[in-house]
Amino acid sequence: MKIFILDSNFSELERFFSSSNRFEVAGCADNGNDGLKGINETKPDVVVMDLFLSGLDGFGVLKKLDTSSCKIVVTTAKCSDEIISRCFSMGASYVLIKPYDFDILAERICDIADAEKNVVKENKGFSAAPVSGFAPVSFADAGTKSVTTLLRDIGITPNLKGFRYLRLAISMVVENEAVIETVTKVIYPGIAKEFKTTPVRAERAIRHAIETAWERDGGETMKKVFNLPNNIKRPTNSEFIGLAAEYLKA
């Protein structure tokens, strides 16, 4: 997988990716103008890009770059709802908050690449068979607990479209709990970008998946897993995502 690194301190990232047989460093740059030129020349599969660059900042690069030709992983030390939402709206596949672990970054890139392969298969009329332990888009494992396993245990099965969307949404919150406050601004647009759908369809599919699991046994399994009171109503999308993330982080 060809990686282009666009970061003012790219040397450590270059050493890391160069030492892995999974990646090929197509090029590096420490300012936006050189980076944009290098990306267009080398045509990488994935660009790892810091938002804050000299010359042309990350938003300027996103504006001029054909984001349909490669995946963009944005890294930034400054996190806000507006910044994250803007990144997704401009074509970013994922936003990672600095400081981060390089191994985590590598996992995220591989997950994004795997997700793209599955989307291509589905668009051709094939559906990838669910595999136990498969690392979902963005981060299947939180500690020793699996997002995939949790959803299946609750009754949200891979045949439901909302299964994949919930898998990504929960993992986003596990990594950054503040994202739960931005479901409509960040999570749904992020899912829409990743799975080539719309935020409205993402919200609807997630709601349907939760309703299906709840109605299967009157919510008894969900209540037991999340230790909910008997008289509670079915959780909303954001409530369910938050409960699942808390469970996985416990």
Side-chain angles (χ1 to χ4, degrees):
M1 189 187 312
K2 291 173 64 176
I3 305 286
F4 193 97
I5 303 167
L6 182 50
D7 193 295
S8 56
N9 297 303
F10 62 74
S11 56
E12 290 187 12
L13 279 170
E14 182 182 18
R15 284 195 295 270
F16 172 78
F17 284 116
S18 297
S19 66
S20 172
N21 56 17
R22 294 182 295 175
F23 304 102
E24 172 192 347
V25 178
C28 300
D30 59 5
N31 72 79
N33 291 314
D34 290 345
L36 187 62
K37 180 180 178 181
I39 293 166
N40 289 330
E41 290 177 349
T42 60
K43 302 188 183 304
D45 301 303
V46 178
V47 175
V48 178
M49 180 183 72
D50 190 359
L51 271 186
F52 299 98
L53 302 163
S54 60
L56 184 68
D57 68 7
F59 289 125
V61 174
L62 285 172
K63 185 176 181 179
K64 294 185 177 183
L65 187 65
D66 178 10
T67 56
S68 65
S69 64
C70 60
K71 295 296 183 181
I72 312 295
V73 176
V74 171
T75 65
T76 177
K78 185 176 182 180
C79 175
S80 71
D81 296 348
E82 181 181 357
I83 287 176
I84 295 174
S85 180
R86 188 178 177 191
C87 287
F88 283 126
S89 69
M90 295 183 74
S93 295
Y94 191 70
V95 178
L96 193 61
I97 308 303
K98 290 185 173 183
Y100 56 81
D101 185 282
F102 287 176
D103 289 324
I104 296 295
L105 172 61
E107 289 176 15
R108 302 302 181 263
I109 291 172
C110 290
D111 288 337
I112 290 169
D114 288 341
E116 178 69 13
K117 292 177 183 177
N118 288 338
V119 168
V120 170
K121 288 181 181 179
E122 289 170 1
N123 287 341
K124 290 182 178 179
F126 298 96
S127 177
V131 179
S132 178
F134 170 74
V137 185
S138 275
F139 354 123
D141 294 321
T144 59
K145 301 172 183 175
S146 164
V147 178
T148 299
T149 300
L150 172 61
L151 292 176
R152 285 174 171 167
D153 287 348
I154 287 174
I156 297 176
T157 52
N159 63 296
L160 296 170
K161 185 174 292 186
F163 176 87
R164 294 183 302 156
Y165 300 167
L166 274 169
R167 206 166 50 172
L168 175 55
I170 293 166
S171 298
M172 290 171 70
V173 177
V174 168
E175 178 164 310
N176 182 1
E177 61 183 20
V179 176
I180 194 60
E181 304 296 332
T182 60
V183 173
T184 58
K185 291 183 178 180
V186 175
I187 293 181
Y188 293 153
I191 292 170
K193 170 65 180 177
E194 192 65 49
F195 293 102
K196 308 294 189 296
T197 185
T198 67
V200 171
R201 288 176 179 173
E203 184 278 332
R204 188 181 302 145
I206 288 175
R207 176 159 39 87
H208 173 69
I210 296 170
E211 288 175 348
T212 299
W214 183 270
E215 293 172 0
R216 185 167 297 161
D217 62 358
E220 292 304 313
T221 299
M222 208 176 293
K223 292 174 187 177
K224 182 178 180 181
V225 171
F226 294 144
N227 194 27
L228 302 174
N230 289 328
N231 61 347
I232 195 170
K233 295 181 180 179
R234 174 178 55 82
T236 63
N237 288 7
S238 59
E239 288 171 344
F240 179 88
I241 293 167
L243 286 167
E246 288 180 10
Y247 173 86
L248 291 167
K249 291 170 69 176

